[in-house]
Amino acid sequence: MTASNQEDLAPEEDEDYYSLLNIPRDAPQSSINDAYRRLSRLYHPDKHVVAEQKQRAEVMFGKIKTAYEVLSDPHRRAIYDSVGVAGLRTEGWQVVQRTKTPQEIRDEYEQLAREQAERRLLQRTNPKGSVTLFINATDLFCSYGDELDDDELDDWLLPQVEVTGMSFTQSIEAPLTLRDTATMSGNLSTSNGTGQGQVSCSVRRLFSDRCWAEAELGVGDGLMVSTRAFRSLGRHLHATGHGFIYLLPNGLGRVGLLGSLGCQLDRRTVGYLSYRVGRPAGVQAMVVRETEHSRQSVSLYVGVPHSYVTGSLTVTLPEADVKARLVAKLSRASQTYTAHVRLSDELQASAVFYGTVVPLLAWTAVNRLLVAPYVSRRQKEEAQRRREANRERTAAKRREAEAAVSLMRETVARIRQAEELRRGLVITAAWYGRIVQAGSGDPANGGMEDLVDVTIPLQCLVTDSKLILQEGTKSHLPGFFDPAPDTDKSLQVEYLFHNARHQVTVADTDPLRIPKPSHRTES
């Protein structure tokens, strides 16, 4: 075997040592020893005489020995379970210390992972924004054309669609620590020719899951400085505080301080006690009860210069004045675009039709004719790109699997002969890969390059007329490889047991235990 072939057979960082030994991830040391002894009898170089077979056996035995040494060492096994093969390289990894227990290694790795996540968090923002348009399109469905004179009718024949209002909001969060978050936000809105806007920056500190405080500075029509705080005092009781200073461009200003207690009296009733300092100043007690069809509130306010008692009852009734409105909303990542289109001030069949049926039909047509073909084409191109990128690696894995199969043939012949004599478990056909539809004979698939014949590797794993495959991907078993990366794979097995035909198909990561009566296909 050439040097390049040996490099192809070298262990890779994605190697699954548990699948290679065909043992569960919680396997005890005794199971690891048994798997190592069983595979050593098959792949030990001293078991082979032919030079080419001996070289292949050296590569396979090296992989098995490495897996055994890692899983037999509690410290290295803990590192491998946490970060995989890459974690076994000691350069730059702080936790590889022989004085620490496996649990301490896992704990320290989790701490390092949290610190790394925190560093990523410090470098990442969370932008959010929205654009909202309010459009008046009632002229499209105006029904008063017969009442207009000729000059007005000429104007009416060209319906006017106008933007009556719009608003923009944008915010960016910058996590300073796991408890501190800075937020910069801005908003701008206009309606019927008038508008207003504000830019603000706030910092929030989370003291616990029951308490937080926030300071905010904003500039818009004036300068605004405010603070907010929240504290949960119990299961049904919480307190909030809000203080602000608002300075207007003309030199005037307002100062306010508001504190309140909220208590959940029952499932639908909430009581509030608030105290306000500033203009106006006063104390307010309020009880609010909300149901599905009504909202009731009673409020007592004592302040300067007025004191009063108020009560309200709101009952939800069917709307008498029905307006037709179309709302289009598009979300892209953290951005939201919304358009409110007022179609009619009256309930008209045409407005309802154009506001509901037409958008659905238009979206269905666009989706089927443009969007769906584009997405499907992109997915196929991406799959082909990944396939081309993995072609060389898949070819190397195929050569490795073929080398392992060549080492198994003599052992498999003896196992098969013994099983046939006892009418035990004989694997007649086995396929692994992208199986589209399981059936008798060769499985249907998208191409034979997406399948690998694993009849010999499975027969080699038969012991005392039983075959057990552990949970996890089967592509790392000796004699297996991944013929179709980035696709769902299955394993189809046809076998004889007591001279009766059986067949079973399982997903790639599902465990398999045969024989089973439920797999039988004939009497």
Side-chain angles (χ1 to χ4, degrees), residues 190-201:
T190 177
S191 177
N192 296 324
T194 61
Q196 60 182 1
Q198 180 177 321
V199 176
S200 63
C201 180

Side-chain angles (χ1 to χ4, degrees), residues 322-343:
V322 181
K323 297 181 180 181
R325 175 178 294 180
L326 171 65
V327 179
K329 185 175 182 179
L330 173 65
S331 296
R332 183 68 174 176
S334 59
Q335 302 294 315
T336 302
Y337 305 90
T338 307
H340 297 264
V341 183
R342 193 171 67 184
L343 301 177

Side-chain angles (χ1 to χ4, degrees), residues 15 31 46-47 158 221 287 297 380:
E15 193 72 66
S31 299
D46 294 343
K47 301 289 184 180
L158 297 176
D221 295 337
V287 177
S297 67
K380 291 180 180 179

Side-chain angles (χ1 to χ4, degrees), residues 212-217 224-229 241-245 256-258:
W212 57 264
E214 180 182 75
E216 182 178 10
L217 175 65
M224 185 270 295
V225 180
S226 71
T227 59
R228 294 182 181 87
H242 179 207
F244 65 90
I245 301 176
L257 179 62
L258 176 65

